[in-house]
Every structure is written in structure tokens, then in C-alpha cells.
Amino acid sequence: MTDTESTRSKPSLRVLEAIVDAEGVSLTSLEPPLNDVVDPAALDRSFEPTSTGDWIQGRHVSFRCRKYDMTIASNGTIELS
């Protein structure tokens, strides 16, 4: 996946990709599932453009998933720590 594709994909999918990449596991083996930790639809809505089509700059969401503290930013970055 290119950086542009990743930036445009839904945040919930990017979170899953980040975990799979960090741990070298398959999506089906992730426990707990993402929806046990955060509402994926609400996470995705948090980063949708405004009614004028603009992206809100500086927005971020943080939560704990598996062994990671995750932060998703409006610029498309995901940090795992």
C-alpha cells in the first residue's frame, strides 16, 4: 500500500494494518478484535472531512489496543508506543 492509499484509507483499517505490521500476524488472529476496544465506525467518522470538504487539522484520537498506546492524527499518521 502506498503512503497516499494509506492516508486515504479509513483510520480503523490503518490501525489494523499498523498492528499487523508491528506484530507480523494475520488480521484473523488479532485478539481482542478492534471493535472490543474502540468503535471503528466512530473512529472513521472522527476523521471525515467537514461539510465543505476540508480536513480538520490537528485532530487526534488516542486509545490502548493490545499492548500499544495508539494515536491516530488527522495528517494520517499512526503512532504505536
Side-chain angles (χ1 to χ4, degrees):
M1 177 175 292
T2 66
D3 288 339
T4 302
E5 289 170 334
S6 180
T7 300
R8 283 191 250 163
S9 67
K10 294 182 178 187
S12 59
L13 296 176
R14 292 197 327 269
V15 165
L16 293 172
E17 291 168 356
I19 294 170
V20 166
D21 288 347
E23 295 187 3
V25 298
S26 70
L27 280 174
T28 57
S29 68
L30 292 180
E31 288 293 330
L34 185 60
N35 60 350
D36 283 0
V37 177
V38 67
D39 180 344
L43 180 62
D44 294 340
R45 281 191 308 272
S46 297
F47 292 97
E48 289 178 349
T50 64
S51 60
T52 61
D54 296 327
W55 294 93
I56 298 173
Q57 299 299 314
R59 179 174 286 175
H60 68 276
V61 173
S62 298
F63 58 93
R64 185 146 180 91
C65 184
R66 296 177 62 89
K67 61 184 176 185
Y68 304 104
D69 291 321
M70 306 192 78
T71 299
I72 303 118
S74 57
N75 68 1
T77 61
I78 296 180
E79 294 181 20
L80 281 71
S81 55

